[in-house]
Amino acid sequence: MKMLEKYHNGNATISIYEDGTRIIETEGEYEKPDLEFPVSMDFKITNWCNMNCRMCHEKSNPEGKHGDIMNLQFVNSLTKGTEMAIGGGKVTSHPDLKPFLQKLKKQGVIPSITVHQNEFIDNVNLINELIEENLIYGLGISYLKPFDLMWKEVAKNDNAVVHLIAGIHGKDVFDYLSQFGCKILILGYKNWGRGADLLQNEKVAKDIQDKIDWLKRDLPKYLDKFKCVSFDNLAIKQLDVKNMLTNEEWQEFYQGDDGTMTMYIDGVNEQFAMTSTSPERYDLKSDIKDMFKVIKEGVINNETQN
Ligand code: SF4
């Protein structure tokens, strides 16, 4: 597998491969990585969206604004090899998406985008163009419905990952997708934004919890039915993934607690936070290292209080 980038960050060396694999090795006598800047960040570029998903934790809607992404200073401070997961809102609606990706490419930043399934269908030419011009390295597609031809093609692309949400996508969806052997990323259910509003309805909340419980129980059956199964940290907690793995597997698989490797940047409200559901938000600074320092200090303070 071809290596895309290898760089130093704090006391670690990070290697990133073409298929999205990331290996973090600490240098010298250090056991745990202590990084100067995040290896990856979630970056919200817009709050505009017309999909109206009932669990949208960003509460994106047709009144949502686009971020002034070409003029955010912190982007200039990003080091070659940093990964950026660009999301929204509907990312393809941002008029500066392509120029922004061209700017990142010049800097050696490694971007991926996440789109809704219908957004993918409506913008397939643009998305193909971004892939062919090496402007994106990863493509996340949020699952909505069966579409054999499309999912078969998606499964052939090693850099495309289908996003599924614990509590929203149930057995029918996991069974359907497993026939294509795609790569999947399971996201935890976010009790935030419209995701929190949805839980106010007792019947819906029960259905969501039932689906989470089902997945927690049946997940081991699906692990070898897909080309790759990955999780965000919220899903790891909600589904108790650690319990399914041996100690060795866990050490190899786990990429670190929130705020120790990654962070979230809201390019619309020009704020940063540990994750997209963290209540503590800070105004953007011009240097990524200064922002990451704030996030890491927050993690350390939380650990000492607990
Ligand atoms: S979840 Fe994604 S596609 Fe759905 S409304 Fe929110 S931003 Fe739009």
Side-chain angles (χ1 to χ4, degrees):
M1 181 56 61
K2 194 178 152 205
M3 188 185 282
L4 273 184
E5 200 58 66
K6 186 171 185 163
Y7 65 95
H8 293 279
N9 183 348
N11 66 3
T13 303
I14 325 284
S15 310
I16 300 161
Y17 294 85
E18 221 175 22
D19 68 344
T21 305
R22 178 202 307 139
I23 295 177
I24 302 173
E25 291 162 300
T26 47
E27 294 158 358
E29 77 279 17
Y30 298 103
E31 268 186 29
K32 272 188 169 182
D34 184 9
L35 306 183
E36 261 189 274
F37 53 90
V39 290
S40 169
M41 74 199 66
D42 289 332
F43 182 37
K44 178 171 81 171
I45 62 166
T46 180
N47 235 355
W48 191 94
C49 191
N50 56 356
M51 299 291 178
N52 199 26
C53 302
R54 60 189 185 129
M55 73 304 170
C56 180
H57 74 283
E58 293 287 4
K59 285 195 165 180
S60 297
N61 61 63
E63 270 79 54
K65 303 218 169 350
H66 296 312
D68 185 15
I69 53 177
M70 295 305 283
N71 294 308
L72 298 177
Q73 284 307 311
F74 88 90
V75 177
N76 302 323
S77 74
L78 298 177
T79 302
K80 203 171 170 201
T82 306
E83 295 154 78
M84 181 185 272
I86 298 172
K90 192 175 182 181
V91 294
T92 52
S93 73
H94 198 300
D96 292 332
L97 176 65
K98 199 165 175 187
F100 181 66
L101 291 170
Q102 283 161 338
K103 180 178 171 165
L104 294 180
K105 187 178 177 181
K106 272 193 205 141
Q107 271 180 254
V109 173
I110 302 178
S112 60
I113 59 169
T114 298
V115 295
H116 180 281
Q117 182 178 344
N118 281 346
E119 183 182 3
F120 176 81
I121 295 166
D122 294 343
N123 293 279
V124 75
N125 290 338
L126 168 68
I127 292 168
N128 276 333
E129 200 177 294
L130 299 180
I131 295 171
E132 277 158 22
E133 293 178 25
N134 290 329
L135 290 174
I136 53 170
Y137 289 89
L139 173 67
I141 306 170
S142 308
Y143 181 90
L144 180 70
K145 59 188 177 200
F147 187 165
D148 293 8
L149 202 63
M150 173 183 156
W151 296 121
K152 229 184 256 175
E153 284 306 307
V154 167
K156 286 184 200 158
N157 185 330
D158 259 352
N159 295 86
V161 180
V162 187
H163 288 200
L164 299 173
I165 304 173
I168 295 292
H169 298 110
K171 185 176 185 314
D172 53 333
V173 174
F174 279 77
D175 285 341
Y176 170 73
L177 277 177
S178 65
Q179 65 181 306
F180 306 109
C182 329
K183 285 186 167 184
I184 59 167
L185 166 66
I186 303 177
L187 304 165
Y189 185 87
K190 294 185 179 73
N191 183 358
W192 193 261
R194 287 207 286 272
D197 299 345
L198 210 53
L199 294 177
Q200 298 308 310
N201 180 321
E202 238 174 79
K203 209 166 149 266
V204 178
K206 186 180 174 314
D207 180 55
I208 290 170
Q209 192 55 53
D210 286 350
K211 283 201 178 106
I212 293 176
D213 293 342
W214 162 78
L215 188 55
K216 194 172 170 179
R217 200 180 54 243
D218 281 15
L219 184 59
K221 294 183 195 162
Y222 289 94
L223 293 180
D224 57 0
K225 288 194 176 159
F226 294 93
K227 211 191 298 177
C228 175
V229 182
S230 52
F231 306 86
D232 68 356
N233 278 358
L234 187 59
I236 287 176
K237 272 195 204 114
Q238 284 174 358
L239 305 173
D240 198 9
V241 175
K242 190 176 180 182
N243 220 7
M244 283 169 217
L245 304 175
T246 63
N247 234 346
E248 262 177 16
E249 284 170 334
W250 175 252
Q251 296 302 336
E252 201 187 315
F253 151 91
Y254 190 55
Q255 291 272 320
D257 294 344
D258 286 330
T260 61
M261 302 277 170
T262 57
M263 61 182 284
Y264 168 72
I265 295 182
D266 179 338
V268 179
N269 296 310
E270 304 196 2
Q271 290 180 320
F272 68 99
M274 186 165 76
T275 71
S276 62
T277 57
S278 303
E280 297 84 16
R281 308 260 155 160
Y282 312 91
D283 289 340
L284 275 194
K285 294 176 186 288
S286 56
D287 194 315
I288 191 71
K289 289 180 183 163
D290 294 336
M291 293 196 276
F292 195 52
K293 208 167 154 207
V294 173
I295 296 297
K296 284 205 310 181
E297 278 165 7
V299 174
I300 294 166
N301 288 343
N302 279 347
E303 278 171 3
T304 8
Q305 278 163 24
N306 292 333

